[in-house]
Amino acid sequence: MNHGNADNFIYRLKHIIKKNPKLFHILNHTLGTFVGKSAKASIAHLPKGSLIVNIGSGAEVIRDDVVNLDCIPYPGVKIVGDANNMPFKDNFVDAVICESLLEHVLDPKVVLNEVYRVLKPGGMMYLSIPFIIPFHSSPHDYYRWTAAGSRELLKDFQEQEFGILNGPTNAMTYVLREWLALALSFNINTLRQMWILIFMIIFAPINLLDYVFVHFKGSKDLAHIYYFIVSK
């Protein structure tokens, strides 16, 4: 599967790992430090039987009753479809989860308009959105947002909660591993990507510092990924 991206090797590796949801979950939460509210925590108050849709879900199973929607039929995906045109009636869905998706779609506003359409009045969305993060295809990569830019993007919704999901240390180690891999690659792209994977493992313990730094003033100005909880 060749998308012509500079991180094609890493993309193909992620694609393989996502076929094993448990392994993907373990690696995702071992190599990164999540200091903000999770999607699972954000929907904990919703009773069983609620219609909760996770768009661009990949292989992540957040809760047994969550409907996973993705354009690739990974294990756990219940609807293979397009977030730009979801197969739900207007005002029909209780909650939507949208984790690290908007940077990978050509027009994020179209996806958000679709989320707004399918949500019931008062329905909620949990959204994670990147700020400081280098290029990472899935299969493409287009956008980044500041906190103010995120709020502008979400202006049709009512903000309920905002915070840091991955903090400044995650941002720093992500950029540093990319820089070191570039410096040690001898301009060989496959070698660069292998170094990225090695440094990802080496730097994982350092990311735990974000449990401290998340409480520092100004940490939002250097965050890796934000999270929002908004309602219609």
Side-chain angles (χ1 to χ4, degrees):
M1 189 179 297
N2 188 353
H3 296 280
N5 290 328
D7 66 343
N8 187 52
F9 173 75
I10 292 175
Y11 172 78
R12 287 188 284 114
L13 182 61
K14 286 192 295 184
H15 182 70
I16 293 169
I17 292 173
K18 283 183 177 181
K19 294 180 180 179
N20 186 326
K22 289 184 179 179
L23 177 61
F24 175 78
H25 179 83
I26 291 170
L27 290 175
N28 191 35
H29 288 268
T30 300
L31 299 176
T33 298
F34 295 84
V35 295
K37 182 176 284 187
S38 67
K40 186 174 183 178
S42 75
I43 62 170
H45 67 286
L46 295 175
K48 292 287 184 178
S50 301
L51 180 53
I52 306 166
V53 182
N54 185 4
I55 59 175
S57 63
E60 187 79 6
V61 178
I62 293 172
R63 210 168 81 177
D64 290 342
D65 60 338
V66 173
V67 177
N68 280 357
L69 186 153
D70 200 286
C71 61
I72 299 174
Y74 292 115
V77 171
K78 297 177 182 177
I79 299 175
V80 178
D82 186 355
N84 293 294
N85 186 21
M86 289 188 274
F88 301 107
K89 297 183 294 185
D90 296 358
N91 307 311
F92 190 68
V93 174
D94 294 293
V96 170
I97 297 167
C98 180
E99 294 188 281
S100 298
L101 170 67
L102 293 186
E103 70 267 32
H104 300 297
V105 301
L106 192 57
D107 193 337
K109 194 61 181 175
V110 170
V111 173
L112 290 174
N113 288 343
E114 184 69 354
V115 170
Y116 194 89
R117 179 187 70 80
V118 302
L119 276 179
K120 294 177 179 178
M124 62 157 284
M125 174 174 62
Y126 175 90
L127 173 79
S128 63
I129 192 166
F131 177 31
I132 298 177
I133 181 171
F135 178 88
H136 59 289
S137 58
S138 189
H140 307 293
D141 190 17
Y142 299 106
Y143 304 105
R144 303 292 182 268
W145 291 272
T146 62
S150 302
R151 289 190 166 102
E152 178 65 21
L153 192 67
L154 296 167
K155 63 183 179 181
D156 293 336
F157 297 85
Q158 297 296 316
E159 183 178 321
Q160 305 298 330
E161 189 172 331
F162 162 71
I164 295 173
L165 184 63
N166 300 99
T169 309
N170 277 256
M172 182 271 292
T173 59
Y174 204 126
V175 173
L176 182 58
R177 80 189 189 209
E178 297 275 341
W179 186 90
L180 288 171
L182 181 68
L184 297 172
S185 70
F186 302 102
N187 207 26
I188 301 171
N189 192 44
T190 301
L191 180 59
R192 181 183 67 87
Q193 293 176 79
M194 292 179 69
W195 275 119
I196 288 171
L197 295 172
I198 291 169
F199 286 121
M200 186 186 303
I201 295 168
I202 292 172
F203 290 156
I206 301 174
N207 290 331
L208 294 171
L209 288 171
D210 273 342
Y211 283 111
V212 175
F213 288 133
V214 72
H215 301 292
F216 280 41
K217 293 179 180 179
S219 60
K220 288 185 173 68
D221 296 333
L222 199 59
H224 183 44
I225 298 176
Y226 300 120
Y227 78 90
F228 285 86
I229 299 174
V230 298
S231 62
K232 178 176 177 179

